[in-house]
Amino acid sequence: MNKKEQRAQRAREEDIILTKVLWWILGAVVLETLLLLLNKFYVNFTVDQVEIAVALQSMFNVLIYVMPAIFVVLLIWAVAAYKRGKGYLLPAVFAGIALILTVCTVIIWKFYDKGISLLTVAVPTVAVLALIFYLYQREFFFSATLSALGLLGVRMAAGVASQPMLGYGYLVLLAVVLLAAAVAFRVMQTHGGVLALGSKEYKLLPKSANYVMLYVTCVLVAAVAICAVILGGLMVLYGVLAAWLLIQAVYYTVRLM
C-alpha cells in the first residue's frame, strides 16, 4: 500500500469516527432535551400543567413494562443476526438504544425528580466518554470511566443516610468493578494489552499503554469512595477526582501530539 492509499484509508477511518461521534452527540442532545422537558412538565409543573404531569405518570407506569420487553425482543433479533454472521449492526444499535431508554425509564419511574436530576448529568457524561473513546487513547477512556463512576460513588455515599441499601449497594458494586479492572489491567500488562475471555482474545490496549495511570486511578477512586463513606459527600472529594481527570486530559492530549 503506497502513501496515497494509506492517506485515503486514514481519511475514510476518520470519516467513520466523525460520523459515530456526531451520532453520539445528536443522541445525547435529544435525550437531554427530553429530560429537561420532563423536569419542567413532570417535576416542576405548574397548576395548569397538572394534567400533563398525571398523563406522564401514567405513561411511565406503562413504559416500565413495555421498554424492557422491547429491549428483549431487539436483543434476541440482534443475537440471531449475529449468529447468522450478517446484518446484525442495525438490530444491535436498536437494542442499545432500547437498553438506554429502558434504564432511563426505570430510574425516572423509581426515583422521580432525583432520577431525572441524575440522568441530566449522566447523559452528557456518557457522551463525553464516547468522545474520549473515539478520539483519545483507550487507556484514557478506561481511566475516565472509572473516575466518572467514582464521582457517582461520592454522590451515592452522600445519600447513604436516607437510602442505605442503594448507597452501600452501589459502593459495593464500585469496589467489585475497581478490583476487576485492576486485575484486568494487570493481565493486559503482562500480555501486551490482550485480555482473554474464554476462548477469545481481545486487544484492548496497545503495548505502549501507561498502566501506572490506570492503577493510580483505581487506587484514587477507591480512596475517595472510602473517604466519602466516612466524611460524607464533601465537595473537596468531587474536586479530587475532577482534578485527576483534568491531569489525565492534559497528559493524554500531549501524547497525541
Side-chain angles (χ1 to χ4, degrees):
M1 183 181 296
N2 55 40
K3 292 184 178 180
K4 185 177 180 179
E5 292 174 337
Q6 290 177 348
R7 286 196 297 268
Q9 181 177 354
R10 183 175 180 180
R12 287 194 296 269
E13 293 174 351
E14 291 175 351
D15 288 340
I16 292 173
I17 292 174
L18 178 60
T19 301
K20 292 179 178 179
V21 168
L22 291 176
W23 275 114
W24 273 100
I25 294 175
L26 177 61
V29 170
V30 171
L31 190 52
E32 189 74 7
T33 301
L34 291 175
L35 289 170
L36 292 176
L37 290 174
L38 282 174
N39 188 62
K40 179 179 180 180
F41 294 105
Y42 187 46
V43 177
N44 299 315
F45 56 89
T46 63
V47 175
D48 296 335
Q49 298 166 344
V50 171
E51 292 183 359
I52 298 176
V54 172
L56 289 172
Q57 178 64 59
S58 301
M59 181 188 72
F60 278 108
N61 288 337
V62 175
L63 287 178
I64 193 65
Y65 301 105
V66 173
M67 286 308 305
I70 293 175
F71 167 66
V72 171
V73 171
L74 291 173
L75 181 62
I76 294 173
W77 179 26
V79 171
Y82 180 78
K83 289 182 177 180
R84 291 197 303 268
K86 61 180 181 179
Y88 59 86
L89 180 59
L90 186 61
V93 171
F94 285 155
I97 294 173
L99 176 60
I100 293 173
L101 294 178
T102 299
V103 172
C104 291
T105 299
V106 171
I107 291 175
I108 295 171
W109 179 79
K110 178 67 177 178
F111 301 105
Y112 187 48
D113 57 333
K114 292 182 179 179
I116 294 176
S117 177
L118 174 63
L119 290 172
T120 303
V121 177
V123 168
T125 299
V126 172
V128 171
L129 289 175
L131 297 182
I132 293 173
F133 178 82
Y134 288 115
L135 302 179
Y136 280 83
Q137 296 92 337
R138 193 62 56 84
E139 59 262 36
F140 183 28
F141 168 74
F142 288 132
S143 189
T145 300
L146 293 175
S147 299
L149 293 175
L151 288 169
L152 180 57
V154 175
R155 178 168 178 170
M156 288 296 186
V160 161
S162 58
Q163 293 181 313
M165 183 174 296
L166 178 64
Y168 285 120
Y170 178 82
L171 292 172
V172 170
L173 178 62
L174 178 61
V176 172
V177 170
L178 291 173
L179 180 60
V183 172
F185 294 150
R186 180 56 184 169
V187 172
M188 286 187 284
Q189 185 177 13
T190 57
H191 293 84
V194 176
L195 181 65
L197 295 176
S199 59
K200 295 184 178 180
E201 294 184 344
Y202 300 91
K203 181 71 173 180
L204 299 181
L205 292 174
K207 292 183 179 180
S208 60
N210 188 341
Y211 289 93
V212 174
M213 298 289 281
L214 295 172
Y215 293 137
V216 170
T217 298
C218 291
V219 173
L220 186 62
V221 171
V224 167
I226 293 172
C227 291
V229 173
I230 298 173
L231 304 175
L234 299 177
M235 290 301 297
V236 67
L237 297 177
Y238 291 102
V240 169
L241 290 178
W244 177 240
L245 275 171
L246 180 60
I247 292 171
Q248 292 179 92
V250 173
Y251 171 76
Y252 287 106
T253 299
V254 170
R255 284 187 60 182
L256 285 175
M257 299 177 179

